[in-house]
Amino acid sequence: MVDHTHALSFGAAASDYDRFRPRYPEVAVRWALDGLSEARVVDLAAGTGILSRAVLALGHEVVPVEPDPGMRAQLAVSTPGTTALAGSAEAVPLPDSTADAVLAGTAYHWFDREPAHAEIARVLRPGGTFAPVWNIRDDSVDWVAELSRIAHLGDKSSKVVVGEYPGFGPAFDAIEQREFRHRTTLTPDELLGMVRTRSYWLTASSDDQRRVERELTDLLNTHPALVGRDSIELPYRTLVLRARRRH
């Protein structure tokens, strides 16, 4: 069983989450939905709608599903005209065979995989696509690696996406995988704001939060790549896994 304590911690910071978390590059979302036109796409664990908005921008219909009421409320503000359904990957509130695709933005690592795979297969039409997507900081850059160490950002999301995947269960074909690189530009204050939306921070003690802030401020004030910068380019790798539901 997955411990959902961290997974359900984000609602308290929903507004900042939507403001500071990185967007998904269009090319990655296009690849995830390759071959689909005006599709009905379910966004599982939709959060504040960051991935939902990327899907809408490509001309598809989106059905966000999100368990956290705080995140659903922010999604309604951030994504006008779209209402998130209360539900989870293990209990999707949709009829059988009603979706052309199911996406999950930086969320699949929180799922209880076996029941989630069965639910995703249930709501997908035969031949439909399941594609988890992750934005992962590029820790090959030394200051980014130090940021991750200080703020405990080497969390479950980054660990889960390293290495091989056994597949999404018997209802799906083999997984295809692609990686896309991009950058997001943040001020130093926005970088700190992004850290404050992470599950480690949201569930940490006040002492640990103060330690993280102190060490991050020191990093910003001492690292040669960051000192005196009004804006910082934070590099990301966007990983997309994609598999088709078997007929």
Side-chain angles (χ1 to χ4, degrees):
M1 293 293 290
V2 173
D3 179 358
H4 292 288
T5 303
H6 288 267
L8 296 175
S9 65
F10 301 109
S15 177
D16 285 345
Y17 186 104
D18 194 69
R19 179 183 174 191
F20 297 127
R21 286 299 183 100
R23 276 39 185 167
Y24 297 94
E26 179 183 319
V27 64
V29 183
R30 283 191 180 278
W31 187 81
L33 299 173
D34 184 49
L36 297 175
S37 176
E38 298 181 355
R40 189 172 197 233
V41 180
V42 175
D43 180 8
L44 278 186
T48 63
I50 293 172
L51 182 55
S52 289
R53 295 194 292 277
V55 172
L56 288 169
L58 296 179
H60 301 292
E61 175 192 357
V62 66
V63 181
V65 175
E66 167 58 42
D68 189 308
M71 300 294 263
R72 293 197 302 273
Q74 182 61 46
L75 186 147
V77 172
S78 305
T79 316
T82 300
T83 301
L85 303 178
S88 67
E90 300 81 15
V92 183
L94 291 169
D96 296 357
S97 302
T98 53
D100 300 300
V102 173
L103 302 185
T106 316
Y108 176 68
H109 51 282
W110 297 120
F111 297 174
D112 286 328
R113 291 191 186 179
E114 190 170 330
H117 292 162
E119 273 291 86
I120 292 163
R122 180 185 65 78
V123 301
L124 277 173
R125 298 185 177 102
T129 299
F130 174 43
V133 185
W134 286 267
N135 272 326
I136 308 164
R137 291 165 314 284
D138 186 356
D139 283 345
S140 67
V141 178
D142 62 351
W143 75 262
V144 180
E146 184 65 4
L147 168 71
S148 295
R149 183 196 66 77
I150 291 169
H152 290 253
L153 301 184
D155 57 11
K156 191 174 181 182
S157 63
S158 60
K159 292 175 183 175
V160 138
V161 298
V162 174
E164 296 298 322
Y165 285 79
F168 298 141
F172 291 92
D173 289 336
I175 292 174
E176 301 172 88
Q177 177 174 321
R178 285 283 298 274
E179 185 176 296
F180 306 86
R181 292 183 178 270
H182 67 113
R183 293 172 179 267
T184 186
T185 302
L186 301 167
T187 67
D189 284 345
E190 287 170 342
L191 183 67
L192 289 168
M194 181 275 290
V195 167
R196 295 185 188 112
T197 71
R198 302 294 303 193
S199 61
Y200 174 81
W201 171 276
L202 293 168
T203 57
S205 68
S206 57
D207 284 346
D208 281 342
Q209 289 178 342
R210 284 191 292 269
R211 176 197 58 77
V212 169
E213 286 193 329
R214 184 173 61 251
E215 292 186 18
L216 279 181
T217 300
D218 185 61
L219 176 67
L220 289 166
N221 290 334
T222 60
H223 195 285
L226 304 176
V227 173
R229 299 291 297 271
D230 293 328
S231 63
I232 299 165
E233 286 196 345
L234 180 56
Y236 280 92
R237 299 158 42 228
T238 297
L239 179 70
V240 186
L241 306 181
R242 184 180 70 186
R244 310 290 184 186
R245 189 196 187 286
R246 290 178 176 148
H247 289 272

